Amino acid sequence: MDRDRLAQALLDSFLEELEGHVVSLNRDLLALEQAPARAKELVPGILRTLHSVKGASRAASASMVENACHRMEEVLEPLIHGRAPSPDLFELCFATVDALDDAGRRLASRQELAGSPLETLLPQLEQAAHGTPSRTPPGPAPKLEPAAPASAQKPVEAEPEPSVPAQASGETLPVRVSGQKLDALLGRSGELRVAMLRLEGHAESLEALRDDVTGLRERVRGTQSEATLRRVELELARVARVLAQDRRALFQSSTGLDDEVRRARMLPFEEGCTGLERAARDVAHGLGRRVRMEVHGGGLELDRSLLQSLREPLLHLVRNAVAHGLEAPEERARHGKPEEGRVVLSARLRGSRVEVAVEDDGRGLDLESLRERARARGMEAPEDDEDAARLVFLPGLSTAQKVTAVSGRGVGLDVVRAQVEALRGSVEVAFKAGQGTRFTLDVPLTLSTLRVLLVSVGGQVLALASEGVDRLLRLSPSDVREVEGRMSWVTPEALVPLASLAGVLDLPPGPPKARPPAVVLSAGTAQAALVVDEVIAEQEVLVRSLGSRVKRARHVAAAAVLPDGRMALLLNPASLVRAAGGRPSAQFFPTPKEQVVRRRVVLADDSPTTRMLEQSILEGAGYDVVACADGAEAWERLQAGGADAMVMDVEMPRMDGFQVTEAVRTSPRFGRVPVVLVTSREKPEDKARGLQAGASAYIVKSAFDPTSLLETLRRLL
């Protein structure tokens, strides 16, 4: 390796190391500031970190960084021997750590350190260390970058590097992999999973083709074509077996790769909180307050991209908690509170979601002030306290009495909401007057793949995250009320805002239907029902960013790559829920006309999600659907009211699909009712058992297609 490449490699290694040391210095200085009596315990660790930075900077020829670390060692070393630290000393040390961080960024972008904050601080560090015995290095002092005049510079000790123990036999050395490489690897893994889903569809198509050839051979039995079709049938069977084997092997490999990549990307939540304690301390110091920050659930491992995306919203909320939430020490004392305020960051898993909270023990929200500011801007001030509390998320609305570096412009919490919603999440606020405020962020566990519900609206296929879908329903006029010019879906508990998704997105509306399909979305505690043209399917998709050219697409969170390679826009549920509440009334139903006789289908599946999806598809095609939670209920409903057809899962409690099919076939009354089995059991022996039981058709869920189900029913009826 030539000299230039070696120098660059040393610099890159130093900058990567410096980033971690800056974190350590901030953490240990904060601990020292909060507990000066622990100086003998904490200062040696800080000195070891400075010594490491000093040695690494020497190797990378960053002599100004080396000199600053040496001066800071001289400033801190007397604390071990009983010298009491002053507030000015802490300010100088924190400023030096910030300057080291700034120097790292400058060096990474090939900038000189002359004129940097670090150069400005060097004379102050020397002055703070003045009078402290300095260790003089043997031999000539190293050459320093231009800073203070040469007469003011003190030589930096050329100390030996700390020895590193030999690697123990069999011990694995840690390897650092850049986040960009992990992001790229995860993207490739996601594409492989989508290709896997596409292959499953091809396998089912091949099976269907084989069945068609078998049927055709039966019709030409005894002719010359029979032998040819038999050869084609056997070859298709062979290809299907090979494809099934390859599909299983690919599925195992792709699933394993995806799991390993995700595991490699996981970081503890506490790493995502790095630097927030320092931010809280700086805001509190500037306002004359005291704060202690705690992290609960810090060991919970989350995807690094999620942690990076949460960093800015959490920074806003922490600064807001200190600036707006916590009271001054004397005010806290008057109310019987500790003079030191408390800010708690916590994280916990809730299924496929992560709940992150920022909570303080301050004064709570001033609702009257929020209402007053809202009225001053010509806005309606809600009487309900929960609705009034949400005013804090509106742009430009602040309760601060004056504009400072951290508050008063009314942009922080609006930014938080926008950034969290961009993650397909939501943010809620709750408070107790005089006791504190809690902001809760609800975000998905992964940002790369997602299970979505596909709907058709205005001629476009759009995606909605399944985790945000409460239920699917078919509306009837009795379900809908018009209240103050706005439509609502009536439930026993409340009136849910109802709107057309085409209207919200400014897309061409579809024709009115007798029972239009609707999707009920939730965002935090809010709900809305949105009418769509058609519910298509539920699938796993790969999520892709819209890119830098599309900064803020209205109601759109990202793009979804479908298994067939097509793209669909992934909609933002929180944005849709808010928009639905303000839509004027619309016409969802056609004008009254003669009632059409609808065929009755008994549907049975023990999965509520699958049952809702299939019910929506069947009702959209004009069927009258009786939905059942298991096979026994389906058999009872058939006996009580009859049916034109049955659509059932196989694996269900009480009676499975095979048992119900056998009961239907042995019934003198219902023996001719078509039975369609829709199941995840795809082995040949399962299909054979279903047909032997008397099933009219057998559809595998992994390749479920609404068109094939409807076409099967049309053919059978």
Side-chain angles (χ1 to χ4, degrees), residues 232-270:
V232 173
E233 182 183 5
L234 292 174
E235 180 61 16
L236 285 174
R238 185 192 68 80
V239 174
R241 285 195 302 273
V242 172
L243 183 59
Q245 293 171 355
D246 291 345
R247 182 167 59 88
R248 284 193 294 270
L250 181 58
F251 178 79
Q252 292 175 351
S253 298
S254 64
T255 302
L257 174 62
D258 192 65
D259 290 343
E260 291 299 329
V261 172
R262 291 181 189 281
R263 207 163 10 247
R265 290 170 53 88
M266 302 300 275
L267 292 172
F269 173 65
E270 61 187 359

Side-chain angles (χ1 to χ4, degrees), residues 385-405:
D385 286 351
E386 288 189 9
D387 292 337
R390 294 192 185 99
L391 291 172
V392 298
F393 297 115
L394 295 181
L397 194 148
S398 173
T399 59
Q401 299 302 313
K402 60 181 181 179
V403 174
T404 69

Side-chain angles (χ1 to χ4, degrees), residues 162-176:
S163 60
V164 179
Q167 190 72 10
S169 176
E171 185 180 349
T172 304
L173 283 168
V175 177
R176 295 178 67 96

Side-chain angles (χ1 to χ4, degrees), residues 371-388:
R371 291 186 176 108
E372 182 181 337
R373 294 298 176 94
R375 294 189 192 101
R377 295 181 56 197
M379 299 167 51
E380 182 180 348
E383 292 300 322
D384 181 79
D385 286 351
E386 288 189 9
D387 292 337

Side-chain angles (χ1 to χ4, degrees), residues 359-379:
E359 186 173 7
D360 66 70
D361 66 348
R363 60 173 63 89
L365 296 179
D366 185 348
L367 293 187
E368 287 310 311
S369 178
L370 283 170
R371 291 186 176 108
E372 182 181 337
R373 294 298 176 94
R375 294 189 192 101
R377 295 181 56 197
M379 299 167 51

Side-chain angles (χ1 to χ4, degrees), residues 638-651:
L638 176 66
Q639 291 176 302
D644 295 293
M646 300 187 76
V647 177
M648 292 187 297
D649 189 15
V650 169
E651 297 178 276

